[in-house]
Amino acid sequence: MTCWYEGPLAAFDTETTGVDVETDRIVSAAVVVQQGAGTRPRITRWLVNPGVPVPESATAVHGLTEEHLQHNGRWPAPVMEEIARELAEQGAAGRPIVVMNAPFDLTILDRELRRHRASSLSHYMAGSPLCVLDPRVLDKQLDRYRKGRRTLTDLCAHYAVELDEAHDAAADAQAALDVVRAVGQRFASRLERLSPAELHALQAVWHAAQARGLQAWFARSGTPEAVDPAWPLRPEMPAAA
């Protein structure tokens, strides 16, 4: 019997104007679908004209300039609809969706849907609830005492996953998918008996515990930053957003 980490998976990633899920915008996105480990993926890409200024600091990360997006990007409303329908299609097909740091990408997509479609991600996923695999949460839980950062680049280096063109949405989505397969293989004895749905539920618990630990560390170091324990989606949008 094929284990979930060897079978069909999809992956989702975005590039954005910044790191605030409530106010920043998506400028590019990708969904990668792979029927099995080692098979050729199907990649769908979107380029978005966000309709707001693109800070130079964001361009420095992903290379997408405001001018390029104005000339080549599509308006957000139809793009967000297409992305949400694509994720719903993957859910309906029973494919777990790999999302690195899911509360960021899924929440910013949800806010864009609210902003441009007067809808929400949960509305699109109503017939096929999200089943998410987050390599960051999985790695922190399964190898919790390893020191060092756990960005996608760090995880790729640790699990010997190739990452070309970092901060390209399609490349990052593929790399996150490969990391999840590598995590599954490395910790097979702890994961192979769990279904993706069971893992989804466990990751919500694990992420909340990880958030509490980080919040405690911030408190000890005098950092005022708040850590949101919600996973894989932050549920509320402030009225001012």
Side-chain angles (χ1 to χ4, degrees):
M1 183 177 177
T2 301
C3 295
W4 61 263
Y5 51 81
E6 296 174 339
L9 293 175
F12 171 60
D13 189 72
T14 66
E15 297 300 328
T16 65
T17 59
V19 297
D20 187 333
V21 295
E22 305 296 349
T23 59
D24 281 307
R25 310 298 174 89
I26 293 173
V27 296
S28 70
V31 171
V32 174
V33 180
Q34 191 178 41
Q35 289 303 109
T39 62
R40 184 174 182 176
R42 173 176 67 82
I43 302 173
T44 305
R45 297 177 172 88
W46 293 270
L47 193 65
V48 186
N49 177 357
V52 299
V54 180
E56 291 183 3
S57 57
T59 297
V61 173
H62 49 59
L64 298 170
T65 65
E66 185 173 337
E67 182 180 12
H68 177 77
L69 293 168
Q70 288 175 348
H71 284 87
N72 299 283
R74 297 168 57 202
W75 287 113
V79 172
M80 302 311 151
E81 170 92 6
E82 290 172 15
I83 295 171
R85 290 191 179 279
E86 177 68 25
L87 294 181
E89 181 180 318
Q90 299 311 315
R95 296 187 190 95
I97 301 170
V98 175
V99 191
M100 174 71 186
N101 191 20
F104 178 83
D105 291 86
L106 295 181
T107 303
I108 201 168
L109 172 60
D110 177 78
R111 298 333 187 226
E112 288 278 54
L113 288 167
R114 294 172 184 265
R115 184 177 293 119
H116 296 291
R117 304 299 303 184
S119 189
S120 66
L121 183 57
S122 60
H123 170 77
Y124 284 91
M125 303 298 297
S128 50
L130 278 168
C131 181
V132 176
L133 299 172
D134 188 331
R136 184 171 181 269
V137 175
L138 291 171
D139 176 70
K140 287 184 73 174
Q141 175 67 25
L142 296 166
D143 197 0
R144 67 178 68 183
Y145 300 113
R146 188 178 82 250
K147 295 182 179 180
R149 301 173 66 206
R150 299 181 194 243
T151 66
L152 180 59
T153 300
D154 297 318
L155 295 184
C156 286
H158 181 71
Y159 289 99
V161 167
E162 184 176 351
L163 174 57
D164 293 326
E165 300 181 58
H167 298 295
D168 169 84
D172 286 357
Q174 180 67 63
L177 191 154
D178 292 341
V179 167
V180 162
R181 292 198 190 280
V183 169
Q185 292 167 355
R186 183 168 299 187
F187 298 99
S189 62
R190 298 165 65 181
L191 295 176
E192 61 186 356
R193 293 180 179 83
L194 295 170
S195 70
E198 289 170 328
L199 264 181
H200 177 97
L202 284 170
Q203 285 170 102
V205 176
W206 295 343
H207 178 272
Q210 292 163 8
R212 288 193 298 270
L214 183 58
Q215 190 72 76
W217 186 84
F218 281 159
R220 290 193 299 272
S221 62
T223 302
E225 184 176 348
V227 184
D228 195 324
W231 183 97
L233 177 68
R234 297 177 190 172
E236 296 181 3
M237 180 175 65

